[in-house]
Amino acid sequence: MTSNRVSRRIVLQSSVAATAWLAAAPAIIGRAEAAVMKMRCSSSLPNDPKYANGRVYYDNLVKSLKANGLGEQIEVTFFPDNQLGQEIDVINSVKLGVIDLMVSGSSISANLVPLVGTFDLGYLFTSFQQQTKAFDAGAAKPIEAALLKGASIHIIGWAYNFGARSVLAKKPVKTPEDLAGLKIRTLPNPIITECLRLMGAAATPLAFGEIYTALQAGVLDGLEHDPPTILASKFYETAKHYALTQHIFSPLAVYFSDTSFNRMASKLREGFLDAANKAAVDTRAHGLAVEKEALAALVEKGVTFVECDKEAFRKRVLPQTDNFIKTRPEAKAVVDLIRATQA
């Protein structure tokens, strides 16, 4: 009898323990899953580890996260080539917290907060090195604050697009007159569209993912972009004349959703932001080096570089900045600081 009572007591205790474990299991499993923060990072460019700035930045970010001891706590999955949608849709998804990270030029976010368009003004920057000095002096701070306030998006790193934006066309372009009537693709961004219009082109806003087929079909006569992007996306297959107008030195921004920012524990966030910034610095160095390689590779692909009258284009575009400041006086301090910065 004693043995039976002991057996029943053991069974009952085991059952209670099992029931308690099952009740606690979801919380335990939840804590285990929460230990790894999973994020998605989007880029419109191809998955090219050398010439595509999105992939280069992602690789640098993963490396920096590991160096900061966060490789097991933060898992970032990369989605290149518009896999998560066209850029205008992705930047809105970052705003809403649906997508965590986006690597793209500053231009796309000007659709949400027009002040960001300051950085797209034609011939505002003279080089990427000058841009970095201006940003270090505080020129980017008002833009970052406006984007956070107006769209709930943080910029957690500034890098470079891999070269200045210049015009690739199906015919040689040496002067503004040569651009007349040519349908040149621009970002769906009013500032860049206006810049190309002032330069003389029939500026044609179009999503990045539609450029190649539009060139093939004759809907476009060309586009404006940096050398590595032209190489990585094979735009040289449909247009062979590259005029180095260098009308825009577009900064590359690393966008981070405020929703994702706020769901991070403070210690984790501190290490992540540090890694994100280090990755941006590494990406800058890569971009400067790879632009030269891309230019040489384009020559091998049959692209002809056109000696253009850059000063003629600059004079045509000059009124754009004054008109922009009249519309948005808050941009004046940013423009003045950039212009006062020497490379």
Side-chain angles (χ1 to χ4, degrees):
M1 293 294 291
T2 303
S3 175
N4 287 341
R5 282 200 299 271
V6 171
S7 298
R8 282 198 299 271
R9 188 161 59 246
I10 291 171
V11 170
L12 285 171
Q13 288 172 344
S14 299
S15 299
V16 170
T19 302
W21 187 90
L22 289 171
I28 294 169
I29 294 169
R31 284 196 296 273
E33 290 179 346
V36 178
M37 183 170 183
K38 297 183 179 182
M39 294 190 287
R40 297 191 296 170
C41 177
S42 175
S43 170
S44 66
L45 299 189
N47 195 25
D48 188 315
K50 184 173 184 179
Y51 293 117
N53 55 45
R55 170 63 190 275
V56 171
Y57 178 79
Y58 169 74
D59 288 345
N60 284 329
L61 177 61
V62 171
K63 180 181 68 176
S64 294
L65 286 171
K66 288 179 179 177
N68 281 9
L70 300 177
E72 302 298 321
Q73 297 179 60
I74 297 175
E75 180 183 308
V76 183
T77 303
F78 183 54
F79 295 88
D81 221 4
N82 292 308
Q83 289 180 19
L84 299 182
Q86 297 295 340
E87 285 190 308
I88 189 64
D89 300 317
V90 172
I91 194 69
N92 275 291
S93 293
V94 174
K95 175 184 177 180
L96 297 172
V98 177
I99 295 173
D100 307 280
L101 287 159
M102 179 185 187
V103 183
S104 182
S106 60
S107 313
I108 195 65
S109 59
N111 292 285
L112 302 180
V113 177
L115 184 63
V116 185
T118 305
F119 294 155
D120 296 322
L121 293 167
Y123 294 99
L124 176 63
F125 296 105
T126 59
S127 68
F128 281 121
Q129 291 89 338
Q130 182 237 7
Q131 182 184 100
T132 294
K133 287 185 178 181
F135 283 10
D136 287 346
K141 294 301 179 186
I143 305 298
E144 294 170 1
L147 190 62
L148 181 57
K149 181 179 179 182
S152 299
I153 295 174
H154 297 261
I155 293 181
I156 57 173
W158 290 104
Y160 305 146
N161 277 298
F162 292 174
R165 300 182 82 92
S166 290
V167 176
L168 180 74
K170 295 181 180 180
K171 58 173 277 188
V173 172
K174 296 182 179 180
T175 67
E177 289 70 28
D178 292 332
L179 263 182
L182 294 188
K183 298 183 292 294
I184 302 298
R185 181 268 178 179
T186 73
L187 276 161
N189 171 296
I191 304 300
I192 294 183
T193 301
E194 176 68 2
C195 176
L196 267 291
R197 188 191 68 77
L198 290 170
M199 287 172 68
T204 307
L206 194 70
F208 187 88
E210 300 172 17
I211 296 174
Y212 191 93
T213 53
L215 286 166
Q216 277 186 319
V219 175
L220 292 175
D221 297 308
L223 70 147
E224 48 89 48
H225 226 303
D226 60 78
T229 298
I230 288 169
L231 183 63
S233 301
K234 299 184 178 181
F235 295 139
Y236 60 82
E237 294 179 346
T238 54
K240 296 290 187 181
H241 301 278
Y242 200 25
L244 298 179
T245 53
Q246 296 185 316
H247 49 277
I248 297 173
F249 286 87
S250 177
L252 185 71
V254 183
Y255 299 106
F256 188 43
S257 169
D258 190 46
T259 301
S260 304
F261 180 94
N262 288 323
R263 71 185 174 96
M264 267 190 166
S266 57
K267 280 190 176 182
L268 192 65
R269 184 192 302 146
E270 183 180 338
F272 172 75
L273 295 178
D274 178 68
N277 189 59
K278 286 177 181 174
V281 172
D282 290 342
T283 303
R284 287 181 208 164
H286 180 95
L288 291 174
V290 85
E291 178 188 11
K292 296 177 183 178
E293 292 186 40
L295 288 169
L298 286 172
V299 171
E300 293 178 1
K301 300 292 184 182
V303 173
T304 300
F305 293 113
V306 181
E307 290 292 332
C308 63
D309 189 347
K310 192 187 297 185
E311 183 60 20
F313 288 114
R314 192 190 71 80
K315 286 180 178 178
R316 275 187 167 234
V317 174
L318 207 56
Q320 182 185 38
T321 298
D322 293 334
N323 293 333
F324 186 82
I325 290 173
K326 286 177 184 177
T327 306
R328 295 184 174 81
E330 64 272 30
K332 186 177 186 306
V334 176
V335 170
D336 288 347
L337 183 52
I338 291 169
R339 285 178 168 172
T341 303
Q342 299 298 313

